[in-house]
Amino acid sequence: MDRTTDGVLGAVGPRLRALRRDRGITLADLAARTGVSESTLSRLESGQRRATLELLLPLSLTYDVPLDDLVGAPRAGDPRIHLKPIHRFGLTFIPLSRRPGGVQAFKMLIPAHPDPLEPTPQTHDGFEWLYVLNGQLRLVHGERDLRLPPGEAAEFDTSLPHWLGSADGGAVELLILFGQHGVRAHVHR
């Protein structure tokens, strides 16, 4: 094998370990989710075992990242990014970042609704920063009920009940940076 191939394959283990730790998953949890033994996962992360397709496929599915990202394959050919929208809770999330773990970036689209929706606050681990591009955003966070016009930004702990929706029934576009618990966006002037 050439040095490029050895370098790519040698970086797989540390990348997998960092991804697992960033997601807060233990080896035992990962073994249960993937069906790959704990000892095999440990040897894979430490570089004592070579990555194979049979080992990487269940990890790719569990982490919800492309195989190319797991192995750090060099980008080839077409420089375009093919974004795959995610539809959840009647909203559209377009991933803008592809790096596993750490802070994730999304463009979020809230469709227009002629009748205002009743907020249904949710909680989850993490911290969120958002910036309104278009429309009037309604942000319910804990006891606060805020209206954010285009150009406004907000950041909040997602372990408190929160909800995002349209403030006036129109469509809303926003950028979101989401980090696991303790990871926050840093904005400098």
Side-chain angles (χ1 to χ4, degrees):
M1 277 191 223
D2 64 26
R3 276 191 273 191
T4 302
T5 302
D6 284 340
V8 169
L9 292 176
V12 171
R15 184 176 293 105
L16 291 173
R17 177 177 285 128
L19 180 58
R20 180 179 56 78
R21 288 181 175 166
D22 284 348
R23 302 272 174 107
I25 301 172
T26 66
L27 278 173
D29 290 339
L30 188 58
R33 292 182 193 183
T34 61
V36 177
S37 76
E38 213 173 315
S39 64
T40 298
L41 291 169
S42 177
R43 289 192 331 253
L44 186 61
E45 287 184 0
S46 68
Q48 296 173 353
R49 173 136 188 194
R50 267 281 166 176
T52 64
L53 192 56
E54 290 81 15
L55 295 173
L56 293 175
L57 276 175
L59 292 169
S60 173
L61 292 170
T62 299
Y63 291 135
D64 193 27
V65 297
L67 280 171
D68 284 354
D69 287 356
L70 283 184
V71 298
R75 302 275 182 233
D78 191 348
R80 293 175 294 175
I81 298 171
H82 301 282
L83 304 173
K84 291 164 91 177
I86 301 165
H87 303 282
R88 289 194 184 132
F89 316 112
L91 308 171
T92 302
F93 298 87
I94 303 168
L96 301 175
S97 59
R98 295 171 35 109
R99 192 180 64 107
V103 175
Q104 299 293 312
F106 298 91
K107 180 175 182 181
M108 181 178 171
L109 305 171
I110 301 172
H113 284 280
D115 300 318
L117 295 176
E118 189 61 35
T120 53
Q122 304 291 319
T123 63
H124 53 87
D125 286 338
F127 206 85
E128 197 162 291
W129 179 91
L130 59 84
Y131 179 84
V132 180
L133 295 168
N134 291 304
Q136 299 288 321
L137 177 70
R138 181 177 177 197
L139 167 63
V140 176
H141 185 252
E143 298 297 317
R144 294 187 134 155
D145 193 339
L146 306 168
R147 181 183 182 121
L148 286 79
E152 287 249 323
E155 64 178 342
F156 54 92
D157 183 343
T158 59
S159 66
L160 291 175
H162 62 283
W163 178 84
L164 303 173
S166 175
D168 60 5
V172 184
E173 285 181 88
L174 55 148
L175 294 177
I176 292 180
L177 296 179
F178 174 77
Q180 296 299 323
H181 196 67
V183 178
R184 296 179 65 170
H186 298 281
V187 180
H188 301 281
R189 291 179 188 232

